[in-house]
Every structure is written in structure tokens, then in C-alpha cells.
């Protein structure tokens, strides 16, 4: 699949466990992309294998649900080599995830690898806070942060697609 051929972008969000930040990013981005009329394939994964097959953390499900977005059907998985060929963009939640992703990238991988906040002017390189050991308030704060990043990413992808169609 390639965004160039059909303007359909594919995006993989990656955190450590794939039960908190990247599931929230997957849900938030899917809703924002739909709202913006962007046709995207969206998924998420973790660099670690601690939670394979698990649903998102109940606190992540709750904060997404409070904003009208359902993420409870997701199941955690680990990033795999094929992801570097299948997705146009692989988006890391924090700098440690970024290093973990790059360490797994095959030489001939085609996905563009970046951090979520690289899509927000002035916040490039900033990590999304990990709420796993925190409180419900930390999950609310992370939700806000993720939505700021997702808004920037939608704008970036719209500009990319406009450039491809020119
Ligand atoms: P996530 O959060 O990477 O945002 O899904 C975490 C989930 C689990 C663990 C750490 C962070 N853990 O250590 O099990």
C-alpha cells in the first residue's frame, strides 16, 4: 500500500506497552481523520511484549469514552518487521519508543518514522507523558496532549496529500 498511488495514508502509533498512549492516539486520530475527511488506515503497537492481546488500560478506555471515542475493542500487539513496509508513517509517543522503533527497522523499510509532537510547530521532539504509573488526572492530561499532537498530524497529512495530488 502506498499513499502516493491512492492518497490513502496509513499510520501506526507506537508506545511501550500498547495499552495506554498508542491506543488513545489510535482512537483520537481515527476520529480526527474521519472528521477531516482523511481516508487513513490506522493501527497501534508497542515496542515491548508485556501486554500482548490485552485490551487498553481501563483508565485509557474511560478518558477516551468521556470524549465520545470507543477504544475498548483494541488488543495490544508488538511492532513487527512488516509494519515498516505496510505503513506510510510510524509515530512514536516518546523518545525511548523512537529509539526502540529505529532499532527494529529493517534496512529496506519504507515507513517514515517520527514522534507525535514533530507534527506540532514548536514542540518537535517532545515526548507524550506516560500515564501508566499515574492517576486518572494523568490520563486526562495525556489525552489532551495526544489530541494536540493528533491535530497537528492531521494537518501535516492533509498537506502531504495535497502535495501528492498537485
Ligand atoms: P504505554 O504505557 O506504553 O503508554 O502503553 C505503559 C504500559 C505498560 C507499561 C509501561 C507503560 N509496563 O511497564 O507494563
Amino acid at each position: 500500500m502506498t499513499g502516493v498511488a491512492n492518497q490513502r495514508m496509513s499510520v501506526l502509533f507506537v508506545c511501550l506497552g500498547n495499552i495506554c498512549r498508542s491506543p488513545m492516539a489510535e482512537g483520537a486520530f481515527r476520529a480526527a481523520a474521519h472528521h477531516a475527511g482523511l481516508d487513513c488506515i490506522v493501527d497501534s503497537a508497542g515496542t515491548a511484549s508485556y501486554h500482548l492481546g490485552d485490551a487498553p488500560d481501563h483508565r485509557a478506555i474511560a478518558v477516551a469514552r468521556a470524549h465520545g471515542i470507543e477504544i475498548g475493542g483494541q488488543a495490544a500487539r508488538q511492532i513487527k518487521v512488516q509494519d515498516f513496509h505496510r505503513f506510510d508513517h510510524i509515530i512514536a509517543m516518546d523518545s525511548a519508543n523512537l529509539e526502540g522503533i529505529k532499532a527494529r527497522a529493517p534496512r529496506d523499510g519504507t515507513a517514515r518514522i517520527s514522534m507525535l509532537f514533530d507534527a506540532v510547530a514548536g514542540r518537535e521532539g517532545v515526548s507524550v507523558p506516560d500515564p501508566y504509573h499515574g492517576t486518572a488526572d494523568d490520563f486526562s492530561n495525556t489525552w489532551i496532549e495526544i489530541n494536540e499532537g493528533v491535530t497537528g498530524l492531521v494537518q501535516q497529512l492533509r498537506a502531504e496529500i495535497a502535495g501528492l495530488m498537485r
Side-chain angles (χ1 to χ4, degrees):
M1 139 206 348
T2 142
V4 177
N6 56 13
Q7 281 82 53
R8 189 177 202 201
M9 288 281 174
S10 53
V11 183
L12 179 70
F13 295 96
V14 178
C15 60
L16 178 63
N18 193 210
I19 57 167
C20 298
R21 291 164 294 173
S22 60
M24 288 194 277
E26 178 184 338
F29 179 81
R30 185 172 283 121
H34 181 75
H35 188 71
L38 271 186
D39 185 17
C40 284
I41 291 167
V42 191
D43 197 4
S44 64
T47 55
S49 59
Y50 313 138
H51 296 280
L52 296 184
D54 288 358
D57 187 286
H58 66 95
R59 299 163 295 180
I61 293 174
V63 71
R65 217 170 255 167
H67 291 86
I69 294 172
E70 185 54 54
I71 64 170
Q74 296 183 30
R77 72 169 180 91
Q78 193 172 21
I79 191 169
K80 55 188 183 210
V81 166
Q82 295 96 301
D83 292 325
F84 293 89
H85 301 286
R86 284 183 53 221
F87 289 92
D88 295 311
H89 288 275
I90 296 179
I91 310 285
M93 294 295 116
D94 69 28
S95 52
N97 306 147
L98 182 68
E99 294 313 310
I101 293 163
K102 286 180 176 171
R104 287 168 175 77
R107 278 176 184 277
D108 61 348
T110 48
R112 280 182 278 165
I113 302 167
S114 63
M115 291 174 70
L116 181 62
F117 274 123
D118 290 349
V120 180
R123 298 199 75 188
E124 298 89 347
V126 171
S127 291
V128 175
D130 181 355
Y132 181 64
H133 294 288
T135 64
D137 278 353
D138 294 313
F139 275 81
S140 293
N141 180 56
T142 293
W143 177 261
I144 291 166
E145 293 279 279
I146 283 172
N147 276 272
E148 183 179 346
V150 158
T151 300
L153 184 59
V154 166
Q155 287 169 357
Q156 178 193 313
L157 296 185
R158 288 181 80 157
E160 278 180 25
I161 289 169
L164 293 172
M165 289 166 61
R166 212 173 284 134

